[in-house]
Amino acid sequence: MRNRPDGRLKVSEDIQVKKLLTISVALAGVAFSTATMAADIKPAVLYDLGGKFDKSFNEAAYTGAEKFTADTGVAYRDFEIQNDSQREQALRNFAKRGQSPIVAIGFSQANAVEKVAKEFPDTQFAIVDMVVDLPNVRSIVFKEHEGSYIVGMLAAMASETGKVGFIGGMDIPLIRKFACGYKQGALAVNSDAEVFENMTGTTGAAWNDPVKGGELAKSQFDRGADVVYHAAGGTGIGVLQAAADAGKLGIGVDSNQNALHPGSVLSSMLKRVDVAVYSAFEDAKNDAWTSGFSVLGLAEGGVDWALDENNEKLITPEMKAAVDKARADIVSGTITVHDYMADQNCPF
């Protein structure tokens, strides 16, 4: 068949070659089109104090950005502020360079986002943990109290002393929202439970003081607590270390911190900042960007608790069943977790 004298095979081969060339050109065109589309999005992340490797809040944002780049090949820029005065400057520099969307991590970015977003109305901005009401800003807030309720239940069920603790970072309503949900969850399990509460400070430095976090944890252990939950960013690294050193249990926050001290971290309250960042980038890339604000709780997959090989031996079947039921009841509305920020009050 290869050497037929009528030449038909040669014609057939020519046709196949032309088809392959046509397909190659078409694929090249698709690749060029995709590259062109990708070039249209220049995402950026501005981290809050504590830096992108705080193993907690900021690092969750970093994880989301990294996953987006891994999935799409689209690079992003980021910046770690060292002081409050850099917020506005960093946002404006990003905008001047054509970065968009620009995701600002943390409530403290609100004033800077509001000012710079007005200066660059055609740039897409997003902010986590605060609402900025502008047509080019997406605001993402979470129901941290719901996730905190769940780990509060776990703390009370794991405690042998009936005393558990909470250590916050900066003393602000948002962190008291974590504390109140945690306390409500603990008391739902044990109405006689004692819940200790300490805040690290009143400035941004409270997010990055692991030494003080460890000291506060030790003071709570000295008072009888045997499980301590932190919502303190980088400061919480000291809390978890102190728990491990004392043979007690810590509870992580924002990112899954179970692996920091396997067997000593009871669980982590997951706050899916990674999903918020990824979604902002993805929506901009797909020309599906929306402004306004969204509230992410258990029902939306915005908060949850972490169970993996690092803490599975600490979670009994009874504990898991109890929190699974509570989780379902919160989603259905059967259980209402009090939101401290709704009235600046914790009734528990």
Side-chain angles (χ1 to χ4, degrees):
M1 292 293 290
R2 292 173 62 85
N3 299 313
R4 287 183 60 167
D6 56 14
R8 281 184 292 171
L9 184 57
K10 184 178 187 304
V11 171
S12 175
E13 289 175 341
D14 287 345
I15 291 172
Q16 292 301 320
V17 170
K18 289 179 180 178
K19 285 182 178 179
L20 288 172
L21 286 172
T22 301
I23 292 170
S24 297
V25 171
L27 289 175
V30 170
F32 177 77
S33 175
T34 302
T36 301
M37 288 175 62
D40 290 337
I41 174 175
K42 297 173 64 178
V45 179
L46 179 62
Y47 304 107
D48 206 349
L49 292 169
K52 64 182 174 183
F53 296 124
D54 64 357
K55 303 296 182 185
S56 187
F57 180 60
N58 285 302
E59 192 157 334
Y62 168 76
T63 299
E66 285 288 296
K67 184 177 189 303
F68 176 80
T69 294
D71 289 351
T72 66
V74 178
Y76 70 96
R77 297 179 68 94
D78 61 0
F79 186 77
E80 301 174 78
I81 62 169
Q82 302 302 312
N83 56 66
D84 290 329
S85 66
Q86 292 181 321
R87 301 181 192 281
E88 187 179 318
Q89 179 185 11
L91 286 170
R92 188 173 289 107
N93 286 341
F94 277 150
K96 285 180 177 178
R97 292 173 182 171
Q99 304 296 140
S100 183
I102 303 168
V103 183
I105 306 302
F107 74 97
S108 296
Q109 314 274 22
N111 290 337
V113 168
E114 183 172 11
K115 185 171 183 178
V116 179
K118 288 178 179 177
E119 296 174 12
F120 296 88
D122 295 327
T123 298
Q124 297 163 339
F125 293 85
I127 183 169
V128 173
D129 277 356
M130 186 58 75
V131 175
V132 174
D133 188 14
L134 289 173
N136 59 329
V137 179
R138 172 184 292 191
S139 302
I140 307 113
V141 295
F142 294 83
K143 296 180 181 179
E144 297 93 348
H145 51 302
E146 293 184 349
S148 296
Y149 180 99
I150 296 295
V151 297
M153 290 183 64
L154 289 174
M157 286 186 282
S159 176
E160 296 178 357
T161 64
K163 298 178 181 181
V164 300
F166 173 86
I167 295 173
M170 188 175 175
D171 189 359
I172 53 174
L174 174 63
I175 299 304
R176 292 195 174 274
K177 181 181 180 181
F178 283 82
C180 188
Y182 175 71
K183 188 172 185 179
Q184 183 180 350
L187 293 175
V189 169
N190 177 8
S191 60
D192 294 324
E194 192 170 356
V195 182
F196 304 134
E197 182 178 324
N198 289 106
M199 297 293 176
T200 304
T202 57
T203 68
W207 303 119
N208 195 27
D209 193 346
V211 172
K212 187 168 184 180
E215 291 172 350
L216 291 172
K218 289 174 186 175
S219 72
Q220 293 189 356
F221 296 144
D222 289 344
R223 295 167 64 191
D226 54 359
V227 186
V228 174
Y229 170 42
H230 87 85
T235 297
I237 302 302
V239 174
L240 299 180
Q241 182 66 60
D245 291 345
K248 310 296 184 181
L249 293 173
I251 298 178
V253 78
D254 296 338
S255 297
N256 184 351
Q257 298 183 316
N258 295 355
L260 292 181
H261 300 282
S264 291
V265 180
L266 180 62
S267 185
S268 297
M269 197 289 280
L270 303 177
K271 179 174 172 179
R272 300 309 301 271
V273 178
D274 57 332
V275 174
V277 171
Y278 189 101
S279 296
F281 287 3
E282 183 178 46
D283 289 350
K285 178 180 180 295
N286 295 336
D287 198 25
W289 177 267
T290 55
S291 298
F293 74 96
S294 57
V295 183
L296 307 178
L298 284 171
E300 298 80 17
V303 297
D304 214 329
W305 67 289
L307 178 63
D308 59 24
E309 67 277 8
N310 295 298
N311 71 328
E312 59 186 359
K313 292 182 180 179
L314 301 174
I315 306 297
T316 66
E318 293 76 18
M319 291 167 69
K320 186 176 185 303
V323 295
D324 283 349
K325 183 179 186 304
R327 189 185 189 285
D329 287 345
I330 292 170
V331 170
S332 70
T334 303
I335 293 177
T336 300
V337 184
H338 182 76
D339 181 356
Y340 178 91
M341 293 183 70
D343 59 4
Q344 305 291 296
N345 177 58
C346 185
F348 305 103

